[in-house]
Amino acid sequence: MLEIIAFNNKYISLGVGFYEKISPVLVAKPGLIKFNEGLAESLGLSTADLMPTEIAEIFSGNRLPEGAEPLAMAYAGHQFGSFNPQLGDGRAILLGEFVSPEGKGFNLQLKGSGRTLYSRGGDGRAALGPVLREYLVSEAMEKLNVPTTRALAAVTTGEDVARERLLPGGIIARIASSFIRVGSFEYFSAKGDAESVRKLADYVIECNYPQTRDTDNPYVALLQSIVERQAALIAQWMQLGFIHGVMNTDNMSVAGETIDYGPCAFMDSYDHNQVFSSIDRNGRYAYSNQPSIGLWNLSRLAETLLPLMHEDSDAAIAIAQNILESFVESYQENWLSGMQAKFGLIASSDKIKQHEDKSLIEELFNIMADNNADFTLTFYFLSRLSATQSSKHETEIRQLFGNSELFDEWLIKWRQRLAVQVQSDEQRQTSMQSINPVYIPRNHQIEAAIRAAEDNHDFSVFHALHEVLQNPYEEQECKESYMRPPEPNEVVRQTFCGT
Ligand code: AMP
Ligand code: MG
């Protein structure tokens, strides 16, 4: 047994109804693709002396570290609006919980580690493609300062998995502040098991929201805090053009981290209603729907907490409604302040000025939509424009808009708006460049990394892309190709969950 993680498992003490104890199924031939040494170190994991083969053994589930108490969590969830009372970790296994040197609690999970009680018809396995996608996108999100689960390791299994065709298998080891989902609460609530809802809420409070414990009603404070974190999170997604793709309640973390990277994608050209996910036929989880779906999911969470919030059900409903209404306000505040920063606008407390900024921002998005302007490049160039004079970047940004007159008119208004704020042009450009990325994990590049790995067992494309995404705000030498949108023949129109 290997002593690499000082496990301190708490979820397991909630009782048998919360999980199935189960070990990862052994795989034929674990091979290490990538190990996140920086993350391991920051989490205080003693992995420095391990050989790559040992790391692959551990994070494939073939060799359990000492203190691991593997289990699959039970949960339910609303999938595309319909309630499914029995989901759970069908292809993931929690190895355990531990505390980082900074005193923060974390969970370690393997995804793709074999069948569990909750696998239903599935094989409990993950194909290599989705493993690489989750690794790349979750680590990119971290570097873009978006709350997210982290990728600790990716391994090949040496076994094929059967999807539309046979594909090489993989496993991702991931880290989260919590793997509890909105659907975890729904699981017990739907069974009328109020006691377990309370136990789960107490567990989440202890692990993720200790500051709510000493309030008048910790469960009210818990809901309020979760709502605030989700409002902030979804606003950040919107600011980067990120589309989660499958915002079912079982894929919404109560810790406010982006979780369960499936058919997710960043948009290239801007479209309010962009959808990539092959299973999202009606666009329920389209880009512009994400905030309202966030609220819908949080409403399902609130329903499960009603009995804990007040003994009188009408009073409980009134409290919950208030909190849910605050989501809208909180989301709008986060959205506007984040967008103002993205556009280089210094926020004012004057409501009229705020409204004018909002119009200016929305106007550009409309012009972007009309011209299929690239989301990331638009802000890359905008961050490099002078407030007063034209430059090479001005020619380039105008090309993104097909030299549209509307864009030229907008640029004049933007510059007029900048002229009224007290800030040097250099300062504004520096601060805009610190939040408008040069590189995002573009779909076609992820696809190229997956193709090379799947078809030729070549991981160099994956490693090169990962490397660039480590510093998304810094222009890197000879990396222009990572900035550019796809050529017509490279466009990825659909993404898949790969389940
Ligand atoms: P998702 O929306 O992709 O996060 O998955 C929804 C549910 O399906 C979860 O309960 C997963 O654990 C389960 N699931 C997805 N893929 C598989 C698989 N290959 N085998 C077993 N269960 C799966
Ligand atoms: Mg999921």
Side-chain angles (χ1 to χ4, degrees):
M1 285 270 245
L2 269 168
E3 221 177 319
I4 55 164
I5 305 173
F7 283 111
N8 174 19
N9 303 326
K10 295 185 196 146
Y11 185 79
I12 203 160
S13 61
L14 293 180
V16 286
F18 286 76
Y19 52 81
E20 179 205 17
K21 274 194 187 181
I22 184 166
S23 288
V25 179
L26 299 189
V27 301
K29 197 167 174 287
L32 187 63
I33 303 167
K34 177 105 191 131
F35 179 57
N36 195 338
E37 279 157 28
L39 176 63
E41 202 176 310
S42 73
L43 294 173
L45 310 187
S46 321
T47 49
D49 300 331
L50 296 175
M51 305 287 291
T53 47
E54 290 176 293
I55 294 177
E57 287 280 326
I58 297 165
F59 296 112
S60 62
N62 276 13
R63 197 166 154 188
L64 284 183
E66 195 176 327
E69 296 179 274
L71 60 86
M73 292 174 155
Y75 51 81
H78 276 88
Q79 299 180 299
F80 293 92
S82 310
F83 186 62
N84 189 333
Q86 178 81 42
L87 291 168
D89 290 333
R91 55 171 163 172
I93 284 179
L94 180 75
L95 288 187
E97 297 155 80
F98 60 94
V99 177
S100 74
E102 282 97 56
K104 212 173 159 245
F106 288 101
N107 293 237
L108 167 59
Q109 198 186 59
L110 303 181
K111 184 169 167 184
S113 49
R115 287 179 56 80
T116 75
L117 188 61
Y118 313 110
S119 297
R120 297 172 290 150
D123 60 0
R125 289 296 179 192
L128 180 60
V131 166
L132 298 180
R133 171 179 285 275
E134 173 153 355
Y135 200 113
L136 287 168
V137 184
S138 64
E139 285 306 295
M141 290 292 257
E142 166 69 16
K143 302 299 174 189
L144 292 164
N145 300 316
V146 182
T148 178
T149 60
R150 302 286 311 270
L152 181 63
V155 300
T156 48
T157 58
E159 295 171 12
D160 283 341
V161 296
R163 296 293 179 260
E164 316 80 64
R165 57 189 172 96
L166 283 185
L167 294 169
I171 293 176
I172 184 165
R174 52 183 193 168
I175 300 283
S177 303
S178 176
F179 283 109
I180 309 295
R181 303 131 192 283
V182 168
S184 313
F185 282 89
E186 291 180 285
Y187 178 77
F188 296 106
S189 178
K191 292 203 281 191
D193 183 354
E195 198 36 47
S196 294
V197 174
R198 182 188 295 274
K199 275 166 90 173
L200 190 62
D202 289 340
Y203 169 79
V204 172
I205 288 172
E206 182 186 346
C207 297
N208 303 102
Y209 296 92
Q211 70 283 4
T212 64
R213 203 166 20 201
D214 302 321
T215 56
D216 288 347
N217 183 330
Y219 307 113
V220 171
L222 173 66
L223 180 61
Q224 182 75 58
S225 306
I226 295 174
V227 161
E228 278 162 22
R229 283 198 199 172
Q230 280 297 335
L233 177 69
I234 297 172
Q236 277 192 289
W237 292 356
M238 301 302 279
Q239 278 144 21
L240 289 164
F242 175 77
I243 303 161
H244 181 283
V246 56
M247 287 177 74
N248 293 335
T249 55
D250 52 301
N251 293 333
M252 181 182 261
S253 156
V254 298
E257 291 170 347
T258 314
I259 194 173
D260 280 10
Y261 292 87
C264 61
F266 284 77
M267 31 178 160
D268 295 301
S269 58
Y270 182 79
D271 175 0
H272 296 298
N273 298 317
Q274 182 72 59
V275 175
F276 287 104
S277 167
S278 61
I279 52 172
D280 190 4
R281 292 195 187 86
N282 301 316
R284 178 180 170 89
Y285 301 136
Y287 172 75
S288 57
N289 283 354
Q290 296 187 120
S292 56
I293 286 294
L295 176 59
W296 193 89
N297 290 350
L298 290 164
S299 306
R300 305 289 79 77
L301 175 67
E303 284 162 5
T304 72
L305 296 175
L306 286 175
L308 299 179
M309 296 202 290
H310 204 286
E311 59 214 15
D312 176 73
S313 67
D314 287 341
I317 290 171
I319 297 169
Q321 266 170 351
N322 252 325
I323 296 177
L324 292 170
E325 273 162 29
S326 77
F327 172 87
V328 177
E329 210 173 304
S330 173
Y331 170 76
Q332 281 170 354
E333 274 169 26
N334 277 291
W335 183 88
L336 183 59
S337 60
M339 285 299 185
Q340 283 169 318
K342 196 169 175 67
F343 281 69
L345 313 177
I346 295 177
S348 144
S349 53
D350 181 336
K351 286 269 180 252
I352 297 174
K353 294 213 170 93
Q354 284 176 14
H355 190 76
E356 286 170 0
D357 279 359
K358 186 165 179 269
S359 303
L360 186 70
I361 290 162
E362 285 172 344
E363 194 181 328
L364 180 62
F365 280 115
N366 289 333
I367 305 171
M368 285 163 71
D370 288 345
N371 292 279
N372 296 318
D374 185 81
F375 189 103
T376 307
L377 279 183
T378 296
F379 293 100
Y380 165 83
F381 288 126
L382 202 65
S383 312
R384 284 160 180 79
L385 288 192
S386 154
T388 48
Q389 57 202 359
S390 51
S391 61
K392 152 175 121 151
H393 290 313
E394 187 162 326
T395 317
E396 287 164 326
I397 195 170
R398 292 183 67 246
Q399 277 168 8
L400 289 183
F401 290 83
N403 294 318
S404 107
E405 276 175 30
L406 282 177
F407 176 71
D408 291 343
E409 286 165 23
W410 182 87
L411 210 50
I412 294 169
K413 288 189 227 172
W414 178 66
R415 283 180 165 146
Q416 283 168 345
R417 167 63 182 83
L418 293 180
V420 302
Q421 64 190 33
V422 195
Q423 189 186 35
S424 77
D425 210 27
E426 203 187 328
Q427 275 174 336
R428 177 190 53 78
Q429 288 187 36
T430 306
S431 70
M432 283 179 75
Q433 287 169 26
S434 73
I435 52 166
N436 284 305
V438 183
Y439 311 101
I440 50 152
R442 289 183 185 268
N443 256 328
H444 67 292
Q445 280 155 348
I446 297 174
E447 192 55 33
I450 293 174
R451 286 274 59 78
E454 239 174 45
D455 300 346
N456 304 317
H457 203 72
D458 169 9
F459 291 96
S460 64
V461 186
F462 164 83
H463 288 298
L465 177 55
H466 175 269
E467 184 65 27
V468 171
L469 296 169
Q470 289 285 293
N471 287 302
Y473 298 107
E474 226 169 85
E475 238 168 308
Q476 300 162 38
E477 233 170 280
C478 306
K479 303 294 180 202
E480 291 81 11
S481 64
Y482 292 92
M483 292 175 62
R484 66 164 181 79
E487 298 294 339
N489 66 331
E490 293 172 319
V491 175
V492 176
R493 292 186 207 287
Q494 274 200 325
T495 48
F496 301 86
C497 355
T499 45

